Amino acid sequence: MRVERDGGRSIVRVLGELDIATAPQLAEALVEAAGGGAAVVVDLTATTFLDSSGLRTMVMAARDAERFVLVCPPENSTVLRVITFAGFQHAVPLVATVDEADASG
Amino acid sequence: MTEPVSDADLEVCAAEPIHVPGTIQPHGVLLGLDPATLAVVRTSANTEALLGRPAEAVLGAHLAELLEAVPLADVAAPDLTLVNPLALHLADGRPVEGVLSRSGGLLVLELEPVAPDDEGFDTSYLRIRSLLQRLQGAGDLEELVAATAGEVRRLTGFDRVMVYRFDPEWNGEVVAEDRREDLEPFLGLWYPASDIPPQARDLYAATWLRLIASVDYVPAPILPSATGLDGAPLDLGDTVLRSVSPVHLEYLRNMGVAASMSISIKHGGRLWGLVACHHQDRAHRPPYRVRAVAELVGQLVSTLLPGVEETGSHERSMATGVARGRIADALATGGTDPLKVLEGIADDVLALAGADGAAVRAGGRTLLLGRTPGPDEVAAVVRAARAGATDEVVAVDSLGDEALKDVASGVAVAPVGAGGEQWVAWFRPELLRDVSWGGDPRQKVVKEGERISPRLSFARWTETVRLRSRPWEARELEGAAWFGRHLADVLLRESVARAEVIDTVQRTLLLEALPKVPGVELAARYVPGEGDAVGGDWYDVFWLPGGRIAVAVGDVAGHGLGSAPAMAQLRHGLRAYLLKEDDPGAALDRLDELVRHLLPDDLASLVVADLDPATGRMRVANAGHLPPVLVRGGVGELLATARGPALGVVPGFGYGHADLQLDPGDALLLFTDGLVERRREGIDVSLERLRSAASALPPDLEDACDAVLSMAPGSDDVTLLALRRA
């Protein structure tokens, strides 16, 4: 879990597995990232596994954030499918790269 | 010219038979009596001064010729330690102290003169009583050793009295001292193990007190030979005048000591330490009655030691107790996952054993707390420390791994239950410690020409100890052992309780029995997951108006068994809305509202279908759930239509449904992600495997469920609901 802040937006990069064990870390990182009303970009490019606990953490954070963008490239189908099965893309912008996330802002 | 001695030289020194020196110290006279006749058959050579006749004239004499009166009852006593010392008078009426012992078939009588200034030593009952009371009043080890040094010095009048404590390697530390004010303090100094060789330690463990009245004495030989009646060298281990090793005398002289006495302190049969008494510049000989009280002090301190060592430092002991209480409380009330509970009370777990880091291995998981080696290194460190000893507490304070020294120079491991698979390890970093030696410990002994001598310099010499942690104290290891036992109990209780809760959840949220539906076969499976993964899955099968049947499978994310209330609301909500709306998509819209208002912290997915068994008409709606598998004409397909987001994700989404026709023999499989989710594989691959398996199902629906279930990876909850039109 890595949080980078750049002006009015924060990027949270999730490395490795996002599951019931690591979801609490993401929740903390997301609180930090959203601090001061910053736009939050969650980058799942390097995420290798996503379960419903991780998904729930993001859904809750997206609800509270001023602006919330999800980054997951098509190559990472393992993670992408979990997001789309849950229909999360209906709630927040889902883009393939961080650059697109910035453009969509 | 001096040179360091070799280990071989030290072995020679260690082999010196100090209990059979063949000589005595000349401040008294030793007589060996034939126990049958009380005739003198051995005598020390120095009889002239005390007895007024040469040794030749003493040999062969009857005891009655030497003493005013022979203490006949005492010499016949079965336990001579009970009669010592004897107040005797020589033939000319002068008072002497007598000490009886037995050796080599002889009755040994040692006589010491009573000096005029002996009256200065107070061994009255009141004095001894107050002395013992002061020792008994000590609250902890520090107070006890300090009181011991002070009381022994007041009793015996030595210039310096130290309490000297051995470490496991037999190096000694001065832990208390009472001294003449002008003397240099030795408190806190360490002395290497070689200062007191093994056979001296053996002797100290066997006797309580040794006196060297003057380090400059000229030994008095025993005549006509230092042998017993059996002809063997006379063992003087039980005598008080026994001569000591010349090396030891030189050691004392090098230290500037003129007279010395030591009292043993024993703990659990082992020599724990010594009360070492030194006199500077001149000889010093407290009378036997004083030495007897000093011996009593050694015995009393030995008795008091276990108690004060246990209470130890009161505060630390309190802290451990508080930590134990909090850990027990938290584990009893903190929920179903002990590791998660421990994560929340990490400080207490560390405090229990006074460590900076800990690792808990239980239920196939490893929890790291505080400063520990990396996740991959922990198991290796524990394995190395235990060295196969998996059913006891193991503690090491010198792991010796330079790379890990800042987190794990020391490790203590406690087993959790039997089998060795589960354990708790505590870690301590390197503690650089300066040890002040009483002289350079490497210069243990020097060799002058062919003679071995003790080292010459006792100047303070400080060295830094590396790659060692603070040593593990008995109390800390007890805390570790307690934690291991307690955690084993908790885990056992938890697994029983979990089985009960799962049972309750299954009975209340799942169905006790599936309804009998004419024209439709139904089968369901629920397999609880491990640890945190349990709970969250639910399913339902119920009648709708018009002879239709509804089936649903859902999942509430992330709360484990805490999801039960949400699961119950979803299940009851779905029943109510389906009865009212007559459209699965519309029912999901209502359920989505319910989740947003009543279950704002939950993410729930759900797939629902209603079927008319008579016609095979079926409608399916999906809220963020994995696609069901439809088996039509024996061919499986993933039902990816009519899918919306999970409940609570998109307000007012507007769910739809898919219309399908289920012909006789066609089947629908609803399931949760536990059936297909794998960490090393994309979900599409898993789903494809399931779809393909569904194309070749056994004819019996129960068998088909078992076949599908056997594909589950097995760590998460798995729910499977299958229906087939007959």
Side-chain angles (χ1 to χ4, degrees), chain A residues 17 19-20 24 48-53 55-57 59-60 63 77-78 81-82 84-88 90-91, chain B residues 532 557-559 600-603 624-627 643 645-646 648-650 653 677-680 682-684 687:
Chain A
E17 301 185 347
D19 57 12
I20 194 156
T48 55
F49 177 79
L50 174 62
D51 78 353
S52 57
S53 306
L55 199 60
R56 172 176 165 272
T57 303
V59 168
M60 300 299 138
R63 205 182 283 165
S77 62
T78 304
R81 295 298 271 158
V82 177
T84 55
F85 277 140
F88 196 22
H90 294 298
Chain B
D532 256 1
H559 297 309
D601 294 330
D602 286 298
L603 177 69
H625 204 82
L626 291 173
R643 275 223 314 256
V649 172
V650 183
F653 175 76
E677 203 172 65
R678 281 180 175 78
R679 281 174 195 256
R680 307 271 167 251
I683 194 112
D684 286 336
L687 285 172

Side-chain angles (χ1 to χ4, degrees), chain B residues 305-394:
Chain B
L305 260 186
V308 296
E309 284 211 315
E310 204 151 287
T311 42
S313 151
H314 195 56
E315 278 171 31
R316 274 198 286 185
S317 160
M318 284 278 290
T320 310
V322 168
R324 279 196 200 194
R326 280 207 291 254
I327 290 168
D329 268 2
L331 284 172
T333 60
T336 57
D337 184 352
L339 291 198
K340 187 171 262 179
V341 173
L342 293 175
E343 197 166 14
I345 49 166
D347 287 349
D348 288 319
V349 177
L350 301 183
L352 201 57
D356 286 17
V360 183
R361 175 76 186 168
R365 290 182 292 157
T366 306
L367 170 71
L368 300 182
L369 304 170
R371 296 177 59 210
T372 66
D376 304 335
E377 294 158 330
V378 162
V381 167
V382 167
R383 206 166 32 247
R386 293 172 115 186
T390 56
D391 56 356
E392 59 195 59
V393 174
V394 173

Side-chain angles (χ1 to χ4, degrees), chain B residues 192-209:
Chain B
S194 58
D195 276 12
I196 301 176
Q199 87 278 29
R201 292 197 297 264
D202 289 347
L203 184 72
Y204 294 178
T207 63
W208 283 101
L209 184 141

Side-chain angles (χ1 to χ4, degrees), chain B residues 611-668:
Chain B
L611 169 74
D612 184 338
T615 64
R617 184 182 167 240
M618 186 167 73
R619 296 179 296 180
V620 179
N622 186 338
H625 204 82
L626 291 173
V629 173
L630 187 63
V631 186
R632 276 198 288 210
V635 178
E637 63 181 278
L638 291 167
L639 197 56
T641 52
R643 275 223 314 256
L647 300 173
V649 172
V650 183
F653 175 76
Y655 292 89
H657 69 255
D659 287 300
L660 298 161
Q661 177 61 36
L662 207 62
D663 289 332
D666 290 352
L668 182 70

Side-chain angles (χ1 to χ4, degrees), chain B residues 409-471:
Chain B
S409 279
V411 60
V413 189
V416 176
E421 290 299 310
Q422 306 194 111
W423 42 258
V424 185
W426 286 265
F427 303 99
R428 282 181 183 171
E430 178 181 50
L431 178 70
L432 291 178
R433 194 165 55 104
D434 285 338
V435 175
S436 293
W437 296 95
D440 184 344
R442 292 169 304 180
Q443 189 209 353
K444 289 161 184 163
V445 185
V446 294
K447 201 162 150 185
E448 295 173 73
E450 283 309 299
R451 205 166 60 90
I452 293 170
S453 312
R455 62 170 188 268
L456 300 169
S457 169
F458 287 87
R460 185 174 287 253
W461 188 91
T462 301
E463 99 179 312
T464 303
V465 178
R466 296 180 189 282
L467 288 181
R468 285 219 174 199
S469 72
R470 183 166 72 75

Side-chain angles (χ1 to χ4, degrees), chain A residues 1-13 24-41 61 65:
Chain A
M1 226 61 67
R2 220 167 53 209
V3 181
E4 290 164 21
R5 240 192 146 108
D6 179 9
R9 72 143 163 76
S10 301
I11 303 177
V12 179
R13 289 188 210 280
Q25 276 170 262
L26 175 65
E28 262 178 50
L30 287 173
V31 168
E32 184 195 334
V40 177
V41 176

